[in-house]
Structure formats: structure tokens, C-alpha cells
Coordinates of all heavy atoms in Angstrom, one line a residue:
E1 N -6.7 -7.3 -8.8 CA -6.1 -7.0 -10.1 C -5.9 -5.5 -10.3 O -6.6 -4.7 -9.7 CB -6.8 -7.6 -11.2 CG -8.2 -7.1 -11.5 CD -8.9 -7.8 -12.7 OE1 -9.2 -9.0 -12.5 OE2 -9.0 -7.2 -13.7
S2 N -5.0 -5.1 -11.1 CA -4.7 -3.7 -11.3 C -5.7 -3.1 -12.2 O -6.1 -3.6 -13.2 CB -3.3 -3.6 -12.0 OG -3.0 -2.2 -12.2
I3 N -6.2 -1.9 -11.6 CA -7.1 -1.1 -12.4 C -6.7 0.4 -12.3 O -6.0 0.7 -11.4 CB -8.6 -1.3 -11.9 CG1 -8.7 -0.8 -10.4 CG2 -9.1 -2.7 -12.1 CD1 -10.2 -0.7 -10.0
T4 N -7.1 1.1 -13.3 CA -6.9 2.6 -13.3 C -8.1 3.3 -12.7 O -9.2 2.7 -12.6 CB -6.6 3.0 -14.7 OG1 -7.9 2.9 -15.4 CG2 -5.6 2.3 -15.4
P5 N -7.9 4.5 -12.4 CA -9.1 5.3 -11.9 C -10.2 5.3 -12.9 O -11.4 5.3 -12.5 CB -8.5 6.7 -11.7 CG -7.1 6.5 -11.3 CD -6.7 5.3 -12.2
D6 N -9.9 5.4 -14.2 CA -10.9 5.3 -15.2 C -11.6 4.0 -15.2 O -12.9 3.8 -15.3 CB -10.4 5.6 -16.6 CG -10.0 7.0 -16.8 OD1 -10.5 7.9 -16.0 OD2 -9.2 7.4 -17.7
D7 N -10.9 2.8 -15.0 CA -11.5 1.5 -14.9 C -12.4 1.5 -13.8 O -13.5 0.9 -13.8 CB -10.4 0.4 -14.7 CG -9.5 0.3 -15.9 OD1 -9.9 0.5 -17.0 OD2 -8.3 -0.2 -15.7
Y8 N -12.0 2.0 -12.7 CA -12.8 2.0 -11.4 C -14.2 2.7 -11.7 O -15.2 2.1 -11.3 CB -12.1 2.8 -10.3 CG -13.0 3.5 -9.3 CD1 -13.8 2.8 -8.4 CD2 -13.0 4.9 -9.4 CE1 -14.6 3.5 -7.5 CE2 -13.9 5.5 -8.5 CZ -14.7 4.9 -7.6 OH -15.5 5.5 -6.8
E9 N -14.1 3.9 -12.3 CA -15.4 4.6 -12.5 C -16.3 3.8 -13.5 O -17.5 3.7 -13.3 CB -15.1 6.0 -13.1 CG -14.6 6.9 -12.0 CD -14.8 8.4 -12.4 OE1 -14.4 8.7 -13.5 OE2 -15.3 9.1 -11.5
R10 N -15.7 3.1 -14.5 CA -16.5 2.4 -15.5 C -17.1 1.2 -14.8 O -18.3 0.9 -15.0 CB -15.6 1.9 -16.6 CG -16.3 0.9 -17.6 CD -15.4 0.5 -18.7 NE -14.2 -0.2 -18.1 CZ -14.2 -1.5 -17.7 NH1 -15.3 -2.2 -17.7 NH2 -13.1 -2.1 -17.3
R11 N -16.4 0.5 -13.9 CA -16.9 -0.7 -13.2 C -18.0 -0.3 -12.2 O -18.9 -1.1 -12.0 CB -15.7 -1.5 -12.5 CG -14.9 -2.2 -13.5 CD -13.8 -3.0 -12.8 NE -13.1 -3.9 -13.7 CZ -13.5 -5.1 -14.1 NH1 -14.7 -5.6 -13.7 NH2 -12.8 -5.9 -14.9
V12 N -17.9 0.8 -11.6 CA -19.0 1.3 -10.7 C -20.2 1.5 -11.5 O -21.3 1.1 -11.2 CB -18.6 2.6 -9.9 CG1 -19.8 3.1 -9.2 CG2 -17.5 2.3 -8.9
A13 N -20.1 2.1 -12.7 CA -21.2 2.4 -13.6 C -21.9 1.2 -14.1 O -23.1 1.1 -14.2 CB -20.8 3.3 -14.7
D14 N -21.1 0.2 -14.4 CA -21.7 -1.1 -15.0 C -21.8 -2.2 -14.0 O -22.1 -3.4 -14.4 CB -20.9 -1.5 -16.3 CG -19.5 -1.9 -16.0 OD1 -19.2 -2.2 -14.8 OD2 -18.7 -2.1 -17.0
N15 N -21.7 -1.9 -12.7 CA -21.9 -2.9 -11.6 C -21.0 -4.1 -11.7 O -21.4 -5.2 -11.4 CB -23.4 -3.4 -11.6 CG -24.4 -2.3 -11.2 OD1 -24.1 -1.5 -10.4 ND2 -25.5 -2.2 -11.9
T16 N -19.7 -3.9 -12.1 CA -18.8 -5.0 -12.1 C -17.6 -4.8 -11.2 O -16.6 -5.5 -11.3 CB -18.2 -5.2 -13.5 OG1 -17.5 -4.0 -14.0 CG2 -19.3 -5.5 -14.5
V17 N -17.7 -3.8 -10.3 CA -16.6 -3.4 -9.5 C -16.2 -4.6 -8.5 O -15.1 -4.8 -8.1 CB -16.8 -2.1 -8.6 CG1 -17.9 -2.3 -7.6 CG2 -15.5 -1.6 -8.0
M18 N -17.2 -5.4 -8.1 CA -16.9 -6.5 -7.2 C -16.0 -7.5 -7.8 O -15.4 -8.3 -7.0 CB -18.3 -7.2 -6.7 CG -19.1 -6.3 -5.9 SD -18.4 -5.7 -4.3 CE -18.2 -7.2 -3.4
E19 N -16.0 -7.6 -9.1 CA -15.1 -8.6 -9.8 C -13.6 -8.4 -9.6 O -12.8 -9.3 -9.7 CB -15.4 -8.5 -11.3 CG -16.8 -9.0 -11.7 CD -17.0 -8.9 -13.2 OE1 -16.1 -8.5 -14.0 OE2 -18.2 -9.1 -13.6
V20 N -13.2 -7.2 -9.2 CA -11.8 -6.8 -9.0 C -11.5 -6.6 -7.5 O -10.3 -6.3 -7.2 CB -11.4 -5.6 -9.8 CG1 -11.5 -5.9 -11.3 CG2 -12.2 -4.4 -9.4
I21 N -12.4 -6.9 -6.6 CA -12.2 -6.8 -5.2 C -11.9 -8.2 -4.6 O -12.7 -9.1 -4.8 CB -13.3 -6.0 -4.5 CG1 -13.5 -4.7 -5.0 CG2 -13.1 -6.0 -2.9 CD1 -14.7 -3.9 -4.5
D22 N -10.9 -8.3 -3.8 CA -10.5 -9.5 -3.2 C -11.5 -9.9 -2.1 O -12.1 -9.0 -1.4 CB -9.1 -9.5 -2.6 CG -8.3 -10.8 -2.7 OD1 -9.0 -11.8 -3.0 OD2 -7.1 -10.8 -2.5
A23 N -11.7 -11.2 -1.8 CA -12.6 -11.7 -0.8 C -11.9 -12.8 0.0 O -11.2 -13.6 -0.5 CB -13.9 -12.2 -1.5
Y24 N -12.3 -12.8 1.3 CA -11.7 -13.8 2.2 C -12.9 -14.5 3.0 O -13.8 -13.7 3.5 CB -10.8 -13.2 3.2 CG -9.5 -12.7 2.6 CD1 -9.5 -11.5 1.9 CD2 -8.3 -13.4 2.7 CE1 -8.3 -11.0 1.3 CE2 -7.1 -12.9 2.1 CZ -7.1 -11.7 1.5 OH -6.0 -11.3 0.9
D25 N -12.8 -15.8 3.2 CA -13.7 -16.4 4.1 C -13.2 -16.0 5.5 O -12.0 -16.1 5.8 CB -13.6 -17.9 4.0 CG -14.2 -18.4 2.7 OD1 -15.1 -17.9 2.2 OD2 -13.6 -19.5 2.2
S26 N -14.2 -15.5 6.3 CA -13.8 -15.0 7.6 C -14.1 -16.0 8.8 O -15.0 -16.8 8.6 CB -14.4 -13.7 7.9 OG -15.8 -13.7 7.8
A27 N -13.3 -16.0 9.8 CA -13.5 -16.9 10.9 C -13.1 -16.1 12.2 O -12.4 -15.1 12.2 CB -12.6 -18.1 10.8
P28 N -13.7 -16.5 13.3 CA -13.4 -15.9 14.6 C -11.8 -15.9 14.8 O -11.2 -16.9 14.6 CB -14.1 -16.8 15.7 CG -15.2 -17.4 14.9 CD -14.7 -17.6 13.5
G29 N -11.3 -14.8 15.2 CA -9.9 -14.6 15.5 C -9.2 -13.9 14.3 O -8.0 -13.5 14.5

């Protein structure tokens, strides 16, 4: 999701940055 540089710094400070990072189940290949 879209965040601003200020949003990024706030999320690092309050430990919520992982909520806006995409995640994939990984598999060989």
C-alpha cells in the first residue's frame, strides 16, 4: 500500500512497518 516517507519513519518507530510490506509463500524455483 502507498505510504509517504513520513509514514515510513512513523511505522518504523511504532513497529508496524511489516503491515505495509508484501509477503509471498516461497517455493523451490
Side-chain angles (χ1 to χ4, degrees):
E1 64 181 69
S2 181
I3 62 171
T4 67
D6 287 343
D7 293 333
Y8 148 74
E9 287 198 313
R10 175 182 59 77
R11 285 185 173 275
V12 170
D14 65 16
N15 292 323
T16 62
V17 71
M18 294 301 291
E19 294 177 5
V20 296
I21 298 173
D22 214 346
Y24 292 78
D25 295 327
S26 57

